[in-house]
Amino acid sequence: MRNLNGIKQKAIFSVGFILLVLTSCIGEKESLMGDPYNPKLPVIAESFYPDSGGLATKVILNGSNFGTDLNKIKVYFNNKQAAIVNTVGSKLYVITPKQPGDTCTLSVVVGNDSVTFEHKFVYHIRTTVSTLCGKPGTTEVVVGTLAETEFPTITYLAIDDEDNLFVCSRGSGYYDGNKFVMLNEKKDMSTILISNTGAPVNQPCMLDDGKTVYLPLDNGTGFWTLSSENMWKPRRRDFVPALGSTIQIDYKHAFAMCKLDGYMYTRAKNGSLMRMDPKTSETEVIGNLMAGSDSYLQFSLTDPSILYLAYTNKHCIYTYNILTKEHLLYAGSPNVAGSIDGERLDAEFNEPRQMLFDSDGTMYLADTKNHTIRKITSDGMVSTVIGQPGVSGYVDGNPDDALFNEPFGVTISKDGTIYIGDAQNHCIRKLAVE
């Protein structure tokens, strides 16, 4: 045991000494130690340590002819570039990038030379959930500090460029007591923006200016708009039928902003897909899609012509191409409720609602009746991020422990933090994926 402890201590001392040497020159454009890169000699990749980790793991790469000019060296974990802290020619000190993939090929590029390491780096995603504000069992909206803030049922969320989080809160009566609340984590405050929306308010949407929010009323042609430019003073508006267009709306559940054409899109429960000019409120019906279900909308970040529709009561997700008018099944099985991970067309959901896309194009969604947050990667793989399928409860922590009670809403901040409207727990939960 003493020998093992001695070996461990020596290993820790060695790694610590290497990090001390490598970091001693941070801030210099060129290291003060080691030989410069020689284009007449090969760049050699030998080993690295550690061989696994998560975001911002410190990794030492061993080899030769890396050079000492940081401006000429690039290190990749799969296709994602890592930050290089320093080099001593035969060693590179790098920081792992965010979510490069589960199994990573490490490569070093120096000048026109490129080399890869034989062994793979195993990337671990660290996921935890905590409570931002609210608590189970509360029945009224209370504002103030985040510790004081309470909600009855929380439904859908949005966030602006200043990290103001917007919360739809449903009262005890379906058409009574519905409020729209803004809170800011950094400022540790919450405030009521609309004390009585007049009807349930559904999935809000930010205009592409990042400072104006559009809030659809559940029934009819009405909606609210609020902007930081007029101190968040709410304005009640209605759709105006475009010339030659007839609008028939029973219920609408979401707005989605299209960056391709600048229109705001919504779908009625009767299947009518509409687009609205945000400036004039002129609205026209552009298609007839699946009827008989609530739906929640989000445009793709990588292809702004693709609109995603979560058909809650049909337990599936479709896409609609606004250019070709194609309406295709994307994930899940229509009219089949369940919780199955895997290929998107083999997966099952149970009342999916609000969706979001992160900067990598991964979709996250609130799978309400499964009490989970699910994700769909850009290559079409579905997995459960956090929560226990079919098990409701209220527990913060890691994926093995965390529990939700009918999450409705999800939104994401600029730094990648995901906020969740945990409806029946009356809480806003904060999901850190890393």
Side-chain angles (χ1 to χ4, degrees), residues 130-192:
S130 58
T131 299
L132 178 65
C133 60
K135 61 183 178 182
T138 52
T139 59
E140 299 291 337
V141 172
V142 177
V143 294
T145 66
L146 295 188
E148 297 168 333
T149 301
E150 296 179 359
F151 299 95
T153 302
I154 293 173
T155 54
Y156 307 102
L157 308 174
I159 197 164
D160 69 5
D161 286 349
E162 300 299 322
D163 288 329
N164 292 306
L165 184 64
F166 301 94
V167 184
C168 300
S169 178
R170 188 169 294 172
S172 56
Y174 192 73
Y175 284 95
D176 298 322
N178 298 289
K179 302 184 189 306
F180 192 54
V181 177
M182 180 177 72
L183 60 88
N184 189 291
E185 186 175 3
K186 293 179 181 178
K187 296 178 181 178
D188 189 27
M189 55 78 69
S190 63
T191 185
I192 297 173

Side-chain angles (χ1 to χ4, degrees), residues 60-296:
I60 302 295
L61 310 183
N62 298 302
S64 60
N65 203 27
F66 294 144
T68 55
D69 189 345
L70 296 179
N71 295 322
K72 295 181 179 179
I73 308 170
K74 293 180 181 176
V75 174
Y76 295 92
F77 285 62
N78 290 335
N79 296 319
K80 286 208 168 181
Q81 189 171 346
I84 304 175
V85 178
N86 215 333
T87 174
V88 294
S90 61
K91 295 182 186 295
L92 292 172
Y93 173 28
V94 304
I95 305 294
T96 57
K98 182 180 180 180
Q99 297 185 29
D102 295 335
T103 304
C104 303
T105 297
L106 270 61
S107 57
V108 178
V109 177
V110 186
N112 294 323
D113 291 331
S114 177
V115 64
T116 60
F117 288 83
E118 179 181 354
H119 297 291
K120 306 292 184 181
F121 181 89
V122 178
Y123 187 88
H124 302 296
I125 295 177
R126 294 188 291 266
T127 304
T128 58
V129 70
S130 58
T131 299
L132 178 65
C133 60
K135 61 183 178 182
T138 52
T139 59
E140 299 291 337
V141 172
V142 177
V143 294
T145 66
L146 295 188
E148 297 168 333
T149 301
E150 296 179 359
F151 299 95
T153 302
I154 293 173
T155 54
Y156 307 102
L157 308 174
I159 197 164
D160 69 5
D161 286 349
E162 300 299 322
D163 288 329
N164 292 306
L165 184 64
F166 301 94
V167 184
C168 300
S169 178
R170 188 169 294 172
S172 56
Y174 192 73
Y175 284 95
D176 298 322
N178 298 289
K179 302 184 189 306
F180 192 54
V181 177
M182 180 177 72
L183 60 88
N184 189 291
E185 186 175 3
K186 293 179 181 178
K187 296 178 181 178
D188 189 27
M189 55 78 69
S190 63
T191 185
I192 297 173
L193 297 181
I194 306 177
S195 59
N196 184 4
T197 61
V201 283
N202 291 317
Q203 179 187 310
C205 179
M206 297 302 303
L207 198 64
D208 57 4
D209 65 3
K211 55 188 177 183
T212 304
V213 62
Y214 282 67
L215 185 63
L217 290 170
D218 189 67
N219 60 340
T221 61
F223 62 97
W224 293 89
T225 64
L226 307 92
S227 177
S228 62
E229 291 189 340
N230 63 357
M231 305 298 291
W232 303 113
K233 182 178 180 180
R235 178 187 175 192
R236 172 70 161 73
R237 296 168 62 181
D238 283 277
F239 293 156
V240 176
L243 185 64
S245 181
T246 301
I247 301 173
Q248 293 183 336
I249 300 176
D250 46 4
Y251 302 96
K252 58 187 184 298
H253 303 93
F255 279 146
M257 181 72 199
C258 180
K259 295 184 181 298
L260 189 66
D261 59 18
Y263 284 97
M264 194 75 72
Y265 283 70
T266 191
R267 172 201 160 271
K269 192 169 184 177
N270 61 24
S272 295
L273 180 66
M274 293 158 284
R275 66 180 185 185
M276 176 190 69
D277 185 329
K279 296 180 180 179
T280 65
S281 300
E282 282 197 354
T283 306
E284 62 179 332
V285 177
I286 63 168
N288 289 292
L289 309 181
M290 185 188 298
S293 174
D294 297 359
S295 63
Y296 299 89

Side-chain angles (χ1 to χ4, degrees), residues 372-385:
T372 56
I373 303 301
R374 311 284 291 279
K375 77 174 182 179
I376 308 177
T377 60
S378 56
D379 59 358
M381 294 301 296
V382 179
S383 61
T384 300
V385 178

Side-chain angles (χ1 to χ4, degrees), residues 289-319:
L289 309 181
M290 185 188 298
S293 174
D294 297 359
S295 63
Y296 299 89
L297 316 180
Q298 192 68 253
F299 272 96
S300 167
L301 295 181
T302 55
D303 184 351
S305 67
I306 302 298
L307 176 65
Y308 289 81
L309 302 99
Y311 288 113
T312 302
N313 309 106
K314 303 292 185 181
H315 314 295
C316 58
I317 302 166
Y318 271 68
T319 58

Side-chain angles (χ1 to χ4, degrees), residues 382-398:
V382 179
S383 61
T384 300
V385 178
I386 201 160
Q388 305 299 319
V391 181
S392 64
Y394 173 55
V395 178
D396 286 338
N398 60 42

Side-chain angles (χ1 to χ4, degrees), residues 37-54:
Y37 165 65
N38 186 344
K40 295 180 180 181
L41 298 176
V43 176
I44 297 175
E46 295 176 351
S47 63
F48 57 84
Y49 179 83
D51 59 5
S52 65

